[in-house]
Amino acid sequence: MSNSGYEPRHGWRAALACMVALAVAMGLGRFAFTPMLPVMLHEGSLDLEGGGVLASLNYLGYFVGALSCAAIRVPAPAMVRGGLVATAALLLGMGLLHGFTLWGVLRTAAGVASAWTFVFASGWGLRRLAETGMHRLGGVIYTGPGIGIAATGLLGGLASRWGADAAWIGFGVVALLLVAGIWRVFDDGGHAGERLPAAPKAAPAVRHAAAGQDGGSGDARALVVLYGLAGFGYIITATFLPVIARQALPGSAWPDLFWPLFGLAVIPGALVSAQAPQHWDNRLLLAAAYAMQAVGVLLSVAWPDVAGLALGSLLLGLPFTAITLFAMREARRLKGNASAGLIGYATASYGIGQIVGPIFAAPLAHRTGSFTVPLLVAALALAGGAALFAWVGRHALRPAGAA
């Protein structure tokens, strides 16, 4: 297929549209609940355990949505548009409708919509970048969640003045405006039926590595299990960070700023991780990313002041997208073009970790009056994952016959 009809500006247009789509789906649709939770707690419309349940329902929806993507045959642009409109409507619904059961339905549906948007916008955007020869812009797409998280964090900090209902409606209106701005970009036009050129076949040595000792079922199982630890390890802080900060710094103006700081850290992390050379060992990269997040989680316990929480937020956010990128790269190293199944299992494992985290942490924090124990367990999970990835990576690099 000739790419003569495409210009670099088309690559930029696609990358920026997908960036906005992920900002809406993930930053607003999925993670706006984090800065809204302390407001809803303060207003008495929700308690901490209920907040944990709503968060887990959203992650359950994301899990179901991600698994359903393989069976969906609707064109990607239609799925992206539908997911974005649904996200905006569900945000509005959180402000217009009341009651825990209704909120549970809305947050579950928002999880499904965000998963559909993430998967189909990613696929559509990466295809467009391949068509334009602008692969290097892949990192731009994945800055979207960080931008959305930072924006919702800053806007959510004002929610205590407006009230939760007005804030949710405001998020929905912002989402509608952003969706309107990128609506026309998601149009395959005359290229809807085209396929990307087949990926070049690996050299014999590479195929052997992927099918042999480096790509065995043991490594695949390890990836699935250890990727689930990442989902559990970060989600407790990502769900309750403003609440944790308020407990540590009562009466301070700082707690509302740590969540947007987390989002801002995601942006350079996405850009830098996308430039990591393909020959670098993904397992060692994952070990480093897990270790960074483990330290970030520990800092909120060991150094619960402004500096510790700020540094912890940065260390948690920087590898947020990198972990997903390196895990997907490892799946492709192990299974090549047949990696979809392994990616699906790994994503499911990550989703289970996210579901378990809030419903484990919230009741425990409610009983003890502190998130110390849940955070220590989360840090231990991340540290264990880092150690195991490092061990697997170093073992694979050891020369044959070495002791």
Side-chain angles (χ1 to χ4, degrees):
M1 178 183 69
S2 173
N3 292 340
S4 58
Y6 294 109
E7 300 175 11
R9 64 185 177 88
H10 293 131
W12 274 104
R13 189 166 178 257
L16 292 173
C18 290
M19 179 192 76
V20 173
L22 297 193
V24 171
M26 307 295 286
L28 275 75
R30 192 167 177 214
F31 285 118
F33 185 73
T34 297
M36 290 304 302
L37 178 57
V39 180
M40 298 174 79
L41 293 174
H42 177 74
E43 292 181 351
S45 59
L46 197 63
D47 60 22
L48 188 58
E49 291 190 58
V53 172
L54 288 183
S56 289
L57 285 173
N58 181 254
Y59 306 140
L60 174 62
Y62 189 86
F63 171 78
V64 172
L67 289 183
S68 70
C69 287
I72 293 173
R73 295 294 178 263
V74 179
M79 289 300 300
V80 175
R81 287 169 168 171
L84 290 173
V85 171
T87 296
L90 293 164
L91 288 168
L92 291 170
M94 287 295 293
L96 297 173
L97 303 176
H98 298 91
F100 184 81
T101 301
L102 282 174
W103 285 341
V105 172
L106 291 172
R107 294 309 296 157
T108 304
V112 174
S114 63
W116 286 348
T117 305
F118 182 86
V119 170
F120 285 97
S122 296
W124 182 90
L126 294 175
R127 192 194 80 176
R128 272 291 187 258
L129 296 185
E131 291 171 339
T132 59
M134 302 288 282
H135 301 273
R136 60 186 177 85
L137 296 182
V140 172
I141 293 176
Y142 295 106
T143 63
I147 293 171
I149 288 169
T152 55
L154 292 172
L155 293 173
L158 302 174
S160 58
R161 304 178 189 176
W162 308 333
D165 289 351
W168 281 115
I169 293 170
F171 285 139
V173 171
V174 170
L176 284 174
L177 292 174
L178 292 172
V179 172
I182 61 172
W183 186 264
R184 294 185 63 184
V185 179
F186 290 99
D187 181 5
D188 269 354
H191 304 276
E194 292 178 351
R195 296 183 177 181
L196 289 180
K201 293 184 177 180
V206 175
R207 287 200 303 269
H208 176 74
Q213 61 184 20
D214 287 344
S217 59
D219 275 4
R221 285 193 297 268
L223 176 63
V224 170
V225 172
L226 298 183
Y227 195 47
L229 293 179
F232 175 83
Y234 96 93
I235 200 61
I236 294 174
T237 304
T239 301
F240 299 108
L241 180 56
V243 179
I244 295 167
R246 277 174 168 76
Q247 290 182 352
L249 303 169
S252 170
W254 281 94
D256 290 332
L257 299 177
F258 297 122
W259 180 241
L261 185 61
F262 167 87
L264 290 173
V266 172
I267 298 170
L271 294 173
V272 172
S273 62
Q275 305 304 314
Q278 292 291 323
H279 65 272
W280 285 9
D281 193 293
N282 299 309
R283 294 158 296 191
L284 299 181
L285 291 170
L286 283 164
Y290 278 42
M292 185 181 296
Q293 284 201 327
V295 172
V297 173
L298 276 176
L299 282 174
S300 62
V301 176
W303 194 6
D305 61 11
V306 172
L309 288 166
L311 183 57
S313 299
L314 289 171
L315 292 177
L316 194 69
L318 278 169
F320 177 65
T321 302
I323 287 174
T324 298
L325 173 64
F326 298 146
M328 298 306 101
R329 276 183 23 173
E330 177 65 2
R332 286 192 58 80
R333 183 190 71 84
L334 292 169
K335 300 296 183 179
N337 289 335
S339 62
L342 179 54
I343 289 173
Y345 287 126
T347 301
S349 176
Y350 190 87
I352 291 170
Q354 291 184 127
I355 294 166
V356 171
I359 56 176
F360 160 74
L364 189 55
H366 180 73
R367 288 196 298 270
T368 63
S370 168
F371 280 89
T372 297
V373 174
L375 290 172
L376 289 174
V377 173
L380 182 63
L382 287 164
L388 289 169
F389 265 128
W391 182 84
V392 172
R394 289 180 64 84
H395 180 75
L397 293 174
R398 188 176 300 167

